[in-house]
Every structure is written in C-alpha cells, then in structure tokens.
C-alpha cells in the first residue's frame, strides 16, 4: 500500500485552501506542535474559513469543554458511533484518541470493534447503549431510554452531552463517507505498545 | 391536545437559560421580529451560550451562506433526511421552511412524506437520493455515488454542501430524538393555504 | 409545482372508467356531496366495478363499522402504518382525517411524523406500538404482544380490529406505492387552522 | 405434536360464529364439498358476517377473476410475499395451492423457501422481484420498477394485479401473525406425491 | 418443472469428482444404502477430498455426537437458521430431517416457516430464540442472552452446542446460496404422510 | 483495563481441557513455537478433542491449502466478514494476520473498518463485495453476483473458495459472539510499526 501524503484528503476537488484567519493559523500551528500534523478533517474543511471555524468551535466545545462525561468517555462515544457507521476516518483518528486517553491500546480496539465486548462500568455501558441506539434507530428513542441513563447515574445535563456527541459523530461520519476522507497516517501508529494500564 | 407553551422544550431538565451574550441576545431579538418567536431548538441550547453560538454559526453557514445549492434545496435535504429519521422537530420546522421557500404547501408535504413521489428535476432527485443513502447506509457510499451527482450536474463543491447539510440533520435529528425536543406550535400553521405556485 | 387535476391518478394506464353500478354511482355522488370530490383511490379502482365495490365494502367496514376503537383511533393506525411505509397517498388523505376527527391539526402531523412524540394515552400508545411492530416485523409478533394490548385495556375483539386496520393499510400503502397513486390536492388544505382542541 | 381440531383457530377469543347469511352458508358448503373443509381464515372471520363477506369478495376477485396473471402466478405471489413475512398460515394454505396449480410439489416448496432458486421464466421472475420489493421496501418503488415489469412483458393492467395481490397478502400475513391464525392441517398433506410435472 | 438429475449440483463448474479415499467411498456407500442417495452437498464438495472429509467430520460431530441437545433439537436449529436465511438447500434437506426425527410432518413445516408458531417447550423456544438472534444480530449477543438459556434449563456445555450448530448452518446456508446448490429431489417427498405423532 | 490471562477464554464454563491426542498436542506445541501462544479459539475448543480436530482440519484447509486466492486475500475475507458482524475475536486475530501478510499495518485497519475505503484491485474489491453481500443478504445472491466475480477475473473454483471462507467466518463470528470469546492479547501488538510496504 504505497502512498504519498498528498494535499488531497478527500475524493472531492474543493479548490485550494482558503486564506486562514490569524486565529485559524494559530490553531493549525498548535496542531503541528502538539500532534505533529494538522488533522486531515481540518485540512478538508480549509477550503472555506467560515466552515472550518464553525467546525472547530463545535467539536472543541463538545470534546473538550466541561462536562459530566470525561474526555475519554466522549471519545468512546465517537468511536462506538463510528463503528456502527464503519467510518474509516473517525475510527482511525478517534480510535487513537481512545487508546491515548485510556492509556490502553486494547480498549481502543475493543470500542472500535464492538463495545459490548469491552470491560466497561455499568454507567459507561448504558452511555454507549444509548449512543448506539440513537445512531441506529433514532426514531425509536423513548422516555424509557432516557430513564435508563438516569438509572445508571447520568444527570439530565449529561444526557444532553451524550446525545450531542453521538449526534456530532453521526454528522462527521457521513461527511467523511460522502467525501472519502482519509485520515492522517500517523494515527495508525500512535499508542500501539502495551502500557501500564493494559499490562 | 391541550397544551401550554412552557419553558421546557425538551424532556431534559437542563437548568435555566444561560446569560446570553449581546450577540446572542440580538439574534434572539431578530428571530422574534422576523418569525414571531425564538425557535425551540435555540431555546433548548440556551442553557449554555457557547454551545448555542457554535450551533447557530454552523447552521447559518450551512443553510444561508453562498452555495451551489439554493436555500430551498438545502431545506429539501433537511426534510428528506428528517423523514427517514422520523424526526418530529425537524419535519415540523423545516417542513414549514420548504413550504415557504417553495411557495408551495404541497411540496413541503411531499418531501416530508416521501421525496420519491415529488415532482423534482433530475438534478434535485439525484441530490436527495444521495442524501438519503448517506443517511441510511453511510458505510456503503462509493465513488459511483459521487459520480452520479456529478453526472446530474453538481460540482464537487456542491457535493460537499449536500454532504454537510445531510450530515448536519443526521446530527440534529438525533439530538431532537434523544431529548424529545418539541417544535414551536406556530410552524404547523405556516404557509398552509394554496399559493400561486401550487395553484 | 404547477399541476392540473388530470384523469390519471396513477402512473399506470388502466383504461377508462368502468360503467358504474347504480350503487357505486350513488356512492361517488355522496363523496362529491360530503367531501367535494371523489377520493382518487376510488377513481383509481374505478376501471373495474367489482374491484371498486370490494375495496369500498372492506374499507367502510373497517373504518366506519361498530368497533371498540373510535374512528379517530382507526385513522391513527392508518397514519402510523403509512408513516412507517412512507406512503404519500395515505399520509395525505388519512393525515387529513386525523386532523379532522381529532379536531387538532397538530395531532395529525405528529402521527404522520412519529407517533412516539404524540401525547397519547397509554392505551392508544400500546395500540400504535402493536400496529407498527406488525407493520415492520410481522414474523416476530408473539403472545406477549397480544397480552400487552390486553394489559392496556383492549379486548380480544379490539385486537382483531387493530390488526385488521393495520393490515389493510399495509395493503393500501403498497398498492399506492406500486402505482404512484396521487391524492386529491384538497386534502393538503383541510383542517389546517388552529382549533379549539389544539388551542 | 398431538392436537385436536378445535373451534378456536386464532389466539383471540372473538366470541361465537355470527349467524351466516344464506349466501355465506352456501359458500361454506361449497368449501366443504370441494376442499373437504372450510378454510380456517374464513372460520376466523365468521364472528362477523359483514367482515367475512368483504374478505371473500376481495380475495375471490383477486385470485379468481379474469387477469393477465394466471391463477398459478397469483398464488406464486401470495407465497413469495408470505415467505418474506414468514407467515405460517399463508405459507401452508397457499403453498398447497401452488403445489396443486403447478401440479408440482417441488415448485410449491421452492417459492415458499426462496423464489430466487426456482426455475422461473424471466417474466415470472420479474413479477416476483417486484412483489418482494413491494413487500420489503414499499417506499422505494420507483418508475424504473414499473418499467422493469413492462420490459418483461407485463401490461399496466397486469401491474395493478401484481400490486393488488402482493398488497393483499401483506394484509393477510399481518392479520394471521397478529392473531396466531392456524391453518387447517389438511393443507400440509395435499399434493405431496411426485406428479407428472415434477417427474 | 421437468428436470433430470444431473451431475452438476451447483451453478459452479468445479471440475470432476476427486478420487475418493476408501474412507469417503465407504461413507458414500453408506449414504446410498441408508438414504438411497448421496446428499448433494457431499457431491458438491467431492471435487476435493480434503474439503469433503473436513466437512463430514464437522457436520457429523455437530449433528450426531453426544450432546445435551437431542438430534431433533439440532435439526430444529438447522431449519430455523435456514428459514431466516431462506436457504433452499438446507430447508429442503433438514426440513425432511425434522419431519423424520419428530415423526411429525407438520413440525417440519412449522420450523421452516416460522418457529414462533410451533408448539415448542419453553426450553426449545429459548434455544431457537438464541439461534435466530445469533443468526440475525450476532453483534448484539450479550450475557443476558446466555443467561436466558441457562434460565430455560440449558447448561453451558449445551450453549456451546447451540452456538456451534447455529454457526455451522450460517456457514452452510451461505455456501449453498453462493453456489446455488440444489438439494436431492427425494427430500421433498420424505415423511409427508400423517404419522402417529401428528395425528 | 487490567486483566490477567486466565484459563477461561469464553463466558461459558465448559469444563477442563480434554486429553489431547498426540497430533493435537504437537499442533499446540507448534503454535507456541511459531506464535508464542496457542490461539484462544483452539483453547476454547479444547474441551473436546474431536471438535477441536474438526475445527483445525477445516480452518487449515480453507486458509492454507492451495487456492486461486492468496493467503492474504483469504485473511481479507475473514476480516471483512468479521467487520460486518462486529466480531471482537476475529477482528483482533485476523486483523493481525492481514497486517502481517500484507506487511502493511494500515491495510489491516482499513479492512477491519470498511473495505470500501481500502486501495484494492478491482478483482479484490469484487471478492469482498461478494463476501459482504453473502454475509448480509445470503438469500439475495443470484447468478449475476457470481458472474460479477467471473468478470473480475475469478474462476468458478475460486468462487467456491471465496464462499467457503466467507461462510466459515460467518460461523466463527457467531460462535465467538455466542460465547464471548476473548482473543489472545498478543494479537493487538503484532505488526503495528510502519513497514516497507506501508512507507
């Protein structure tokens, strides 16, 4: 599978990168500094600075702002949803994130394959059950589904966040599928050695 | 079906409305001026100003910014996706938008029921075929699906917008389903009389 | 969406209307008197008087004869089934019927979109849960499904009627889909103003 | 599997048989004379003479009236639809009918199991492809599906009949499933020996 | 449906039969002696003696070795799985086996049509519920599904056998579907008369 | 995710390991020598020597015997099928095998996530399209599906092997799901560094 890192990260010809605002330029610089690269999803959106900024604002709020869900739990939702939707981009990028945040390469694999096989707490299992039902059968969500989350220990405010993260990756998965978006190859190789947690 | 317009627009207890920034306050004021009310989805998000702003930024860019898709076409995608997902909120709010932008109450009904029965151009039919396949079977999108859009007259830049709008309503539908979000009742009664277009 | 009311109400060329019996002629006259038009489904069947009479006999018995279900409840089943099957004809015609019989335009919309979002009694919710499962997964109905109806207050005789009405619209939906049957445009505009019930 | 032929042919307690009209009484007598028994579906409906008459009128028109489809072809549709819906009653009763009308026990089995494995003409294969798609995905029927029938040699009038028969068994299958209707045991043993046709 | 028993039992041209080992030759001879014919699945595999031997070793262990499941129960699983997968070959061959082992032609039909309509013990019903869920939604099996089997009276060792038999026919069904494998016609006519058990 | 390598590799209590035949003992020894461990699927089957031997005979013939499919291609089928079925065990064990045989860690990930995103030859794409349709919709395989394989360059004998491997993993996936089979942890860490092929 020889390949070169080209400028084209999707199957669409979207024209060249827009002139980035200083705020976006600084964001890209920080990505390069912290990750070593700019995630391809941002490069894909970069043909239009307004769309790129709106995407960053939403994803950073969802995944990094204060929440009753840990950052790992939010990444677990991203990966469980992407597993249902078989999204190559998100499974690669967020699979790496679960491996990293869990400090456990096996957990990342498990959620990407089938969260039902993962050793989760009852509270986390309920969270992913809800996220996956919401992904597969949104029309069939009823009050009893919300109540199951409350019974497992989640607050109403957390239920919003579970829904918002699950909803977001149902969007991202589809944009990636529609455009054949390719993840940065570096993700495949991150956090692949046994760690203290997985030992 | 007696009901009163309560402050609670979802089944979740999310606490009281956050203090809105002047920018958001002005946005709400403009809604009241133009629509006569603040759409409930915005009231639902208003427990957190950052989330509300990010939502507004994304939806306004998608639905109102320059695009190869008309505003009506983008509303058609919203409704066709919401029909697959049986989303009460979005079918009500965006169904009204299709009726209004098409100046044709019947067209709004048709897209909400089954777009395949609507008298669409081949280009619009291809657009909705793609949006609906992306909604139902995102894992099965292939290059031939993108090519069908190009063959129907859409440019690559338009394909991005079709995907982004379809993806966005797959998110919104799920947030609405997860929270049992209720639309403003006014939507039901908008643009319900025969118009010049439907005559 | 300019259109003219043509004689062709389906995509099939079925030849001209059969000579109607006096009984059928009287029936059509009564439709014109009460509704202002002959429902297109009857016009579609009118190429054959025997088929038309059999259809009328069955639908009138199901929807109008004595039953433990109210006429509104039977229309609710028609619409909930048609929502699953995305049937343009039946959602339009029977959606109007729910609006009319409920004296509530919003209830008609709700059932057509997703009955799970409607403010139903537990007994009516159980009725539609059964009708929808019977529509989607007939092979999976078991005694526990019948018992759930009994527990909600339905008698065995009512269960027959729920099944018969749900079954009938699974037939009608498919005949309409197979033939691209178009509803009379008048239905779209019936009972669209807020009523005492919906106020 | 010891069992006795009881008066109860469904899981519902529908009360005793209604007083039959002379016309219905004569119909039952003819069944006993020709078949040796009254089909249980008729016994199930017999709690209400009007419903029974409407059912008989419709099914006899569909299955026995003049049509571009042979009676065997109409039975094939009944069985192919019932196979998708896994309807015990209809597979038993109409499976026997296909064995009998085809004079070929194997053909009856094949259609009940999977019509795609049966040695059908292209015209009959197209007929069952349409009936099965209409059963599984009614919302997705488009003009191209109708055209495929025309291309295979069916006239528009025949397409109506294909749709009407497929629709009818989607109704009957659901009434049988909803009520756990049991077929007369005699059907299992009819036309089970190799025939000239199957030799 | 005139047909001759040809040497080609699949739609694939797999070349001529391999030279059978004495062990396989004896096995074929025993089939002819006991059944009157060599089952076509064995003739299909006979292009390669190693594959044929591996298939025979596995199927005979699964269906005939000591087990907490009776031989009839294992055949019931074969047929219930094949019903979901609409496998012509296995429904014909193993449908005959259920008729024979149950000494009840009707039971064979019932399991092939829809096991939910069959008069099964609670233990057997639980067995088939598990086998069918494992067939349709393998990713969704959880500990509660295993526990339901234990609660119905099955031991862990039996659960393995239920899974192994259900798994095996999910394999066989697919090999038969992929190759259009035709069953020996004799199966259709075996155990078709009322028996003491069915009386 | 702390865990210890226990003797229990499934959720079932199957009793202790059977006394292995010298042939099986030698096989286990060879596994330890070549892989460093005995694959857990073999340890799971080891409660019964006959079942273990039959499993080994079949899998080794399928995956290692002469075939028109390369060993990598057979592993690709195993992984693509397991991706549809979300099988934790097989995705882990055979994902490692694809990484190893392709000498390309990314290819292993791609097939496990969604083969449609992988850079495959047309011949390999057709192979996986067939294997995945056979997994998802075995009842719908028709001659045109076989012909598509021939058109892509596969011989009839190869089609058998594609079907047999796809069928086999539909069996294995279900046995693993039914028993909650856990893969050896070592698989997660095999072939995870960039290789010459992936560079």
């Amino acid at each position: 599978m020889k390949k070169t890192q080209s400028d084209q990260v999707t199957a669409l010809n979207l024209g060249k990168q827009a002139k980035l605002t200083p705020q976006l330029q600084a964001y890209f610089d920080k990505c390069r500094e912290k990750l070593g690269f700019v995630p391809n999803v941002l490069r894909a959106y970069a043909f239009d600075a307004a769309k790129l900024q709106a995407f960053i604002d939403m994803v950073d709020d969802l995944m990094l702002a204060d929440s009753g869900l840990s950052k790992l739990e939010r990444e677990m939702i991203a990966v469980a949803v992407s597993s249902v939707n078989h999204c190559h981009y998100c499974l690669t990028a967020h699979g790496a994130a679960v491996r990293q945040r869990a400090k456990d390469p096996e957990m990342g694999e498990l959620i990407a394959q089938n969260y039902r096989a993962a050793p989760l707490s009852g509270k986390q299992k309920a969270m992913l059950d809800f996220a996956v039902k919401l992904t597969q059968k949104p029309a069939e969500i009823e009050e009893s589904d919300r109540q199951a989350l409350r019974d497992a220990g989640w607050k109403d405010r957390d239920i919003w966040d579970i829904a918002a993260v699950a909803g977001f990756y149902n969007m991202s998965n589809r944009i990636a599928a529609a455009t054949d978006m390719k993840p940065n190859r570096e993700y495949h190789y991150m956090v692949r050695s046994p760690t203290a947690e997985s030992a």
Side-chain angles (χ1 to χ4, degrees), chain A residues 34-99:
Chain A
K34 290 178 74 169
L35 281 173
F37 56 86
V38 177
N40 279 350
V41 65
L42 303 185
R43 297 173 66 216
Y45 266 100
F47 71 91
D48 183 304
K51 293 182 194 306
L52 174 59
Q53 188 65 56
F55 179 83
I56 287 172
D57 288 350
M58 187 175 279
V59 72
D60 280 359
D61 174 78
L62 284 170
M63 302 306 278
L64 301 175
D66 279 350
S67 169
L69 283 67
S70 72
K71 289 173 187 169
L72 170 59
E73 287 166 340
R74 287 176 266 179
E75 292 290 350
M76 283 177 169
I77 295 174
V79 173
V81 166
S82 302
S83 174
V84 170
N85 291 330
H86 290 284
C87 178
H88 168 45
Y89 186 94
C90 297
L91 285 168
T92 302
H94 293 279
V98 171
R99 295 196 301 272

Side-chain angles (χ1 to χ4, degrees), chain A residues 3-10 40 43 182-185:
Chain A
K3 56 236 125 166
T4 54
Q5 190 89 358
S6 84
D7 268 3
Q8 182 137 353
V9 296
T10 71
N40 279 350
R43 297 173 66 216
K182 298 296 182 194
N184 308 67
R185 299 179 52 211

Side-chain angles (χ1 to χ4, degrees), chain A residues 144-160:
Chain A
S144 56
D145 297 297
R146 282 180 287 273
Q147 194 54 44
L149 285 176
R150 291 183 194 110
D151 293 345
W154 296 104
K155 297 183 183 163
D156 276 28
R157 184 63 187 71
D158 304 330
I159 297 175
W160 177 278

